Amino acid sequence: MATGVWLVGARGSVAATSIAGAAAIRAGLAEPTGCVTELPQLQVASLPPLGDLVFGGHDVADTPLAKKADALAAAGVVPARLVAAVAGELAAADAEIRPAPTAATQREAAALVAADITDFRDRHRLERVVVVNVASTEPLVQPHPAHADLDALEDQLGRSAPVLPPSSLYAYAAFTAGCSHVDFTPSTGARLPALAELARRRGLPHAGHDGKTGETLVKSVLAPMFAMRNLRVRTWSGTNLLGGGDGANLADPGPNAAKASSKQRVLAETLGYEPQGHTRIEYVDDIGDFKTAWDLVTFTGFLGTAMRMEFSWHGCDSALAAPLVLDLARLTAAAHRAGRSGPLTELAFFFKDPIDSGALGGKVPHGLVEQWAALAAFARGLGDA
């Protein structure tokens, strides 16, 4: 049976690139470059094949996927010939995208979301569905007592005042529909105690959050180097320039703060202390879906010698993120099939700010090498399930 991938933000750049890429790989028109599940260490029989993924989703936008893909091709994100070749697959996926529901209460809205997902699963006779949040980043959530208790949350959802941010409402709907969930953005999503409890009660796995695609990926390699060589990092500051829809959204101070916080966390967790410095995110419309990061690191060596390191990263956000979305959908679906529930800490390899479930001894590794070892062991375990 096929596996469904329900994308929240299904008409965005990452979603469109993921759908077009999966179709192109299935047709033999592209290589699965960037998909780590295609590496020998992670190729286990329990992973659903890329060709068996069926896409649908929700979005507030109504731009057809074909037009979005054309725009990505014009920007140099995906080859135009591939967009033309997979036009039928894009149209089929576009027909499965539903407008984001609205209702008098969040309980009613969540029921409508869950009904759309359930209908998608039933019509396509899918074995299971993974809900993946690739929507725009939200501001940091304002704390509410109901976030800590599922019964209190259930009561509040029936009232007129919203208690959950949209990302968390979609996570709630996913769990009530019996679906696993992945947070690819820094938004709150399932990262509330009440929603974690709901996932446990329903026996559902979830993963997140904030996909690690660029500057933070480099940090997760370099920070362990400084720690293992016992070199004291004094400051680590970065400037990120990006355009496109994500950049425009991050021009807002609220989402910008949420993203910057997620990007810096890897340093404190890896080094064991927090160096001075911060991450600055700036919107530059002219560079479109591409991004540039420049980091300055100052550190102290033997006898107090002051030294420095600089690096630049130039990448295409959607092309970096899309293969990881496909990887996460496959791995999470396999974990669900194997009976895993709760946070999948072993998928920390993919995230800037991974959820700690205690599965790895109560400490989430932030160095890429350690994360890779945990991921490979996780995949092997799924193969044995």
Side-chain angles (χ1 to χ4, degrees), residues 231-232 234 296-302 304-309:
L231 299 170
R232 181 78 181 183
R234 302 194 311 275
L296 170 66
V297 185
T298 64
F299 60 99
T300 301
F302 190 53
T305 304
M307 292 172 271
R308 60 190 283 164
M309 175 183 183

Side-chain angles (χ1 to χ4, degrees), residues 34-36 184 211-213 319-329 349-350:
C35 293
V36 299
F184 200 76
K212 183 165 58 184
T213 59
L320 289 164
L324 304 187
V325 169
L326 300 177
D327 286 331
L328 285 162
F349 177 85
F350 296 97

Side-chain angles (χ1 to χ4, degrees), residues 170-198:
Y170 276 98
Y172 174 85
F175 294 148
T176 58
C179 300
S180 53
H181 182 267
V182 175
D183 285 316
F184 200 76
T185 79
S187 301
T188 304
R191 200 165 193 157
L192 294 174
L195 295 181
E197 175 61 24
L198 177 60

Side-chain angles (χ1 to χ4, degrees), residues 145-309:
H147 293 165
D149 180 78
L150 181 56
D151 293 332
L153 178 63
E154 296 279 8
D155 177 67
Q156 287 292 323
L157 288 172
R159 306 190 181 195
S160 57
V163 65
L164 291 177
S167 64
S168 298
L169 187 65
Y170 276 98
Y172 174 85
F175 294 148
T176 58
C179 300
S180 53
H181 182 267
V182 175
D183 285 316
F184 200 76
T185 79
S187 301
T188 304
R191 200 165 193 157
L192 294 174
L195 295 181
E197 175 61 24
L198 177 60
R200 284 192 295 270
R201 288 189 189 181
R202 298 295 179 100
L204 296 166
H206 58 100
H209 63 113
D210 198 4
K212 183 165 58 184
T213 59
E215 180 201 30
T216 311
L217 178 65
V218 180
K219 284 180 178 177
S220 68
V221 176
L222 292 179
M225 176 194 73
F226 286 107
M228 287 186 285
R229 287 295 300 269
N230 196 22
L231 299 170
R232 181 78 181 183
V233 176
R234 302 194 311 275
T235 66
W236 196 316
S237 290
T239 296
N240 288 246
L241 309 176
L242 68 162
D246 192 35
N249 177 61
L250 292 174
D252 184 287
N256 192 299
K259 186 78 171 180
S261 173
S262 176
K263 289 173 72 65
Q264 284 292 91
R265 191 165 288 116
V266 63
L267 295 178
E269 296 289 343
T270 303
L271 297 171
Y273 56 91
E274 189 167 351
Q276 292 185 9
H278 63 279
T279 297
R280 173 187 172 89
I281 303 172
E282 183 177 343
Y283 173 52
V284 181
D285 178 63
D286 188 58
I287 62 177
D289 201 58
F290 289 77
K291 60 184 180 183
T292 293
W294 174 78
D295 279 37
L296 170 66
V297 185
T298 64
F299 60 99
T300 301
F302 190 53
L303 303 180
T305 304
M307 292 172 271
R308 60 190 283 164
M309 175 183 183

Side-chain angles (χ1 to χ4, degrees), residues 6 8-11 57-62 97-103 109-110 112-113 116 166 169-170:
W6 190 264
V8 181
R11 290 196 169 106
H58 280 109
D59 208 318
V60 295
D62 56 7
I97 299 175
R98 303 291 178 261
T102 58
L112 293 172
V113 171
D116 284 341
L169 187 65
Y170 276 98

